[in-house]
Amino acid sequence: MVNKIFPKTILNRHKKRDDWFLDDYSLNPYQLCEFNCIYCYTRGSKYGENMKHGLTVKVNAPTLLERELLKRSKRKEYGFIALSSATEPWMYIEGKYGITRKCLEMIAKFRFPVHCLTKSTLIQRDLDLLKEIDKNAILPQDLSNLKHGVLITISLSILDEKIAKIFEPNAPKPKERLETLQKVKEGGFYAGVAYIPVLPFISDSDEQLNEMIRIAKEFQADYVFVGTLTLYGIGKELYYKILENHFPELVPKYKQLFRIFNQPNKAFQLRLEKKAREFCEKYEIKYKIL
Ligand code: SF4
C-alpha cells in the first residue's frame, strides 16, 4: 500500500554544501523506498524492518517546490538540488505518480542545477527534461567552472548479481544500472558512479575495487565515489540477520569492525580511500567531481 501525504515544505537547505555531491539543497518526493536495500541508512527509522510498508508519496511536492524555488530564485540563491538524499526518486511507483518528473519541470522552470542520485533505469524517461536543465541552469558562482547544470550519479555497492540480490532485493540489476549510465553518457551528461556503500569483506577486496573502477571507466563514468557502510539501529539488526543467513563466518568480523562506531574503524576507511584513489589514477577517472 502507498500512503499519500501533503507536507508543508519540500526543499531542505543545507547549512553547508556537501563536499562530495556538491548539493546545497535536497529534495525527497517520496518517503522510504521500494528497492528495500538492506544497508539503507533510512532503516534507522521506525519503518526499518520492511521499508515497503511506509512507502509514501508527497502528493503536493511539485506545487510546494514551485513556491519555494520562486522565492529562492528571486534571492538568486542558486545551488545544486540533490534528488534525492533519503529515497529513490525513480523507483517503480514514480512510473505511476510522476512526482519526480513534475519536480524536474519546476527545477527547469526556475533554472536550478540538480544532482540526480539513482539506482533506477527509469531516469532514462526524463533525460529530455534533464538535458534542458543541463543547458539552462544557473550555477552558483564558485561552481561555474563545472559547466553542467546536471550531475547524474548511478549508485552500486557490488557488481556480483547474486550478492546484489541479497543486499538490494528490489533494485535493478547492477548491469542494468551500468547500461543506464552508458545511455546517460551517450546523452552528453556529466555522470559517475557512487560505490556507496562498499560492503566490508564482501565487496571491498583490492581485486573487487580494481574491477569496480575499471568497469566504471568502461561505461564512461567521469568520476567515482567510494564510501563505506553505516550501520545503526534497526538497520544494523537487519543487516546482521542477513549476514547470519548468507555469510555467517563474517559476523564476528563485523562485530569487531563496528564494535565502537556506526562505521568501520579509521584504518579500514583509510585503506579504502587509498586503494580507491590508486585505482582511479590507474584508470584515469576522477575520485571526486571537483
Ligand atoms: S535505493 Fe537508496 S533509498 Fe532506496 S533502499 Fe536503496 S539505499 Fe535506500
Side-chain angles (χ1 to χ4, degrees):
M1 195 191 113
V2 180
N3 308 309
K4 292 181 181 165
I5 57 166
F6 292 80
K8 292 204 169 74
T9 59
I10 195 71
L11 195 63
N12 311 304
R13 171 108 200 212
H14 308 322
K15 286 201 180 96
K16 186 176 166 287
R17 176 180 301 151
D18 188 276
D19 197 29
W20 288 80
F21 295 92
L22 305 183
D23 52 306
D24 288 306
Y25 301 93
S26 59
L27 163 63
N28 293 293
Y30 300 94
Q31 267 177 11
L32 300 182
C33 179
E34 283 177 294
F35 289 179
N36 224 9
C37 305
I38 303 304
Y39 51 70
C40 183
Y41 81 94
T42 63
R43 287 184 180 282
S45 78
K46 62 182 175 172
Y47 302 108
E49 192 63 35
N50 186 344
M51 297 211 295
K52 277 201 272 191
H53 291 167
L55 200 57
T56 301
V57 187
K58 298 181 183 173
V59 182
N60 58 339
T63 316
L64 286 177
L65 189 61
E66 182 171 30
R67 200 189 307 156
E68 291 173 33
L69 289 182
L70 172 65
K71 199 172 69 186
R72 298 279 178 190
S73 63
K74 277 186 181 164
R75 294 190 206 140
K76 302 203 181 315
E77 292 173 345
Y78 293 100
F80 273 92
I81 301 172
L83 186 70
S84 290
S85 58
T87 187
E88 164 58 65
W90 286 276
M91 62 179 139
Y92 306 115
I93 57 167
E94 164 62 14
K96 175 178 173 192
Y97 291 99
I99 303 287
T100 298
R101 170 107 195 159
K102 288 183 195 134
C103 286
L104 285 176
E105 286 166 1
M106 293 307 145
I107 290 170
K109 180 174 171 184
F110 292 101
R111 303 180 63 194
F112 272 69
V114 64
H115 188 163
C116 306
L117 307 159
T118 186
K119 283 187 171 77
S120 179
T121 55
L122 186 59
I123 189 173
Q124 293 177 54
R125 179 200 65 184
D126 294 336
L127 292 184
D128 57 336
L129 199 43
L130 288 167
K131 198 73 228 173
E132 192 187 321
I133 298 171
D134 197 35
K135 265 196 290 176
N136 299 331
I138 299 171
L139 294 171
Q141 225 167 14
D142 55 337
L143 294 180
S144 59
N145 282 349
L146 202 52
K147 298 193 171 38
H148 283 278
V150 172
L151 304 168
I152 299 179
T153 301
I154 304 288
S155 162
L156 291 147
S157 63
I158 187 152
L159 297 172
D160 182 295
E161 295 214 341
K162 279 196 194 139
I163 303 181
K165 192 76 192 155
I166 295 171
F167 287 96
E168 304 159 340
N170 298 330
K173 293 175 184 167
K175 188 163 174 285
E176 293 172 316
R177 288 179 237 167
L178 287 166
E179 286 164 357
T180 300
L181 171 64
Q182 198 162 29
K183 287 270 171 6
V184 161
K185 283 303 302 171
E186 283 164 12
F189 291 95
Y190 197 67
V193 173
Y195 286 115
I196 302 176
V198 169
L199 307 178
F201 314 115
I202 296 171
S203 63
D204 69 333
S205 70
D206 288 3
E207 294 71 26
Q208 284 167 312
L209 290 172
N210 181 60
E211 184 59 5
M212 286 154 93
I213 294 168
R214 188 194 68 74
I215 288 269
K217 181 70 182 184
E218 187 183 315
F219 282 83
Q220 302 173 40
D222 295 298
Y223 56 86
V224 170
F225 301 140
V226 178
T228 191
L229 178 67
T230 302
L231 288 177
Y232 65 99
I234 198 164
K236 187 172 188 177
E237 287 167 33
L238 185 67
Y239 192 94
Y240 275 46
K241 263 191 218 163
I242 297 289
L243 280 186
E244 275 157 21
N245 288 339
H246 297 274
F247 303 94
E249 71 286 1
L250 295 185
V251 174
K253 288 183 166 189
Y254 267 75
K255 288 198 169 153
Q256 178 61 25
L257 199 60
F258 287 87
R259 197 166 52 91
I260 300 174
F261 300 111
N262 294 336
Q263 289 198 323
N265 57 41
K266 201 78 190 152
F268 182 96
Q269 295 195 45
L270 287 174
R271 180 222 147 233
L272 193 65
E273 181 180 336
K274 181 171 171 286
K275 285 289 159 192
R277 282 184 185 276
E278 204 176 296
F279 295 130
C280 282
E281 206 171 304
K282 177 176 168 186
Y283 293 108
E284 298 181 338
I285 187 166
K286 284 186 177 171
Y287 174 71
K288 269 187 163 187
I289 295 174
L290 291 177

